Amino acid sequence: MTEPDANTVDDPEQVETPDAEGDVVSADDAAEKIADQSETPKPTCPEDVLWLRGEFGKARFTVDVANTRDSRAQGLMHVESMPASKGMLFVYEFPREVAFWMKNTLVPLDIIYADERGVVQSIHANAVPGDLTPLPGEGLIQYVLEINGGMAKALGILPGTQIQHPAISNPAWPCS
C-alpha cells in the first residue's frame, strides 16, 4: 500500500468534499462543522466513532475499520465521494513501517499515521487519486486514518494529536 507524492493542494478551500447531507463544501467549512460539534466522547467508544484531540480542540469522525489484510488492501479504493466527517481507520496487529498508495482511489485523502498509543506521528496531505507513489509513515506505525484531502490542515491536526478509538489497545487517550 502506498500514497501519492507532493502533488498537494496548499489551499484547503480549493478542496471540495460532500458533507453529511451530500452538499459539496470546502474543507474549511467542513472542518468547522466537525470541530464545532458539542458532543463529547462517551465513556465507552463505539466501533464506528473516532475522536481526535490536539491544540485545535476535538474532532469526531465516523469511521469504517480495516483490521484484516483484505480490508486494509481494499481501503477506500473505488469510493467516488466521502462525507466530510467520514474516514477509514486501518489497524495493524503491531507497530511497523507502513506506506500507502492511491491505486484505484478516486478522492484526494489526508493520510494520518499514528503509533501504538494512537499518537499522530506524521501526515501526508492531499494524496493524489490514482498515484502509485509509496507514501510512508514516519517511524513505527500501528494505526492509519484516512480522511478527505485538506481536512487535516483545515482542522489543525498535527503530529502529537491523539486518537481515541476502541481498537487502540494501550491508548494515550483512553475511552473512559
Side-chain angles (χ1 to χ4, degrees):
M1 293 177 210
T2 55
E3 306 173 7
D5 61 4
N7 296 333
T8 62
V9 178
D10 292 328
D11 183 358
E13 290 186 25
Q14 293 178 358
V15 177
E16 293 183 340
T17 184
D19 64 10
E21 290 78 40
D23 298 322
V24 175
V25 296
S26 74
D28 279 339
D29 292 341
E32 188 174 322
K33 286 182 179 181
I34 293 167
D36 282 347
Q37 297 179 32
S38 61
E39 184 179 345
T40 57
K42 305 284 188 257
T44 59
C45 296
E47 189 74 19
D48 66 340
V49 174
L50 177 143
W51 284 89
L52 294 159
R53 76 172 176 189
E55 292 182 19
F56 62 89
K58 295 177 185 169
R60 179 185 186 271
F61 286 88
T62 301
V63 293
D64 293 321
V65 177
N67 57 6
T68 66
R69 183 179 182 93
D70 287 344
S71 64
R72 288 190 299 262
Q74 176 65 36
L76 291 171
M77 290 194 306
H78 307 291
V79 173
E80 294 181 5
S81 68
M82 189 167 63
S85 62
K86 181 84 172 154
M88 179 169 271
L89 179 65
F90 295 78
V91 178
Y92 293 92
E93 296 80 13
F94 55 87
R96 62 184 69 193
E97 292 181 359
V98 299
F100 278 59
W101 66 359
M102 296 292 286
K103 182 177 182 177
N104 297 320
T105 304
L106 306 175
V107 296
L109 297 172
D110 287 346
I111 303 172
I112 301 168
Y113 300 94
D115 65 13
E116 74 279 358
R117 303 211 54 221
V119 177
V120 174
Q121 300 300 301
S122 60
I123 301 165
H124 184 85
N126 289 302
V128 178
D131 191 349
L132 301 180
T133 305
L135 302 170
E138 295 177 16
L140 296 178
I141 302 301
Q142 190 166 359
Y143 306 97
V144 179
L145 174 64
E146 290 182 339
I147 57 176
N148 280 297
M151 290 300 298
K153 182 177 181 181
L155 284 166
I157 299 168
L158 299 169
T161 296
Q162 296 175 340
I163 298 173
Q164 182 185 72
H165 188 270
I168 302 172
S169 57
N170 185 23
W173 184 19
C175 288
S176 46

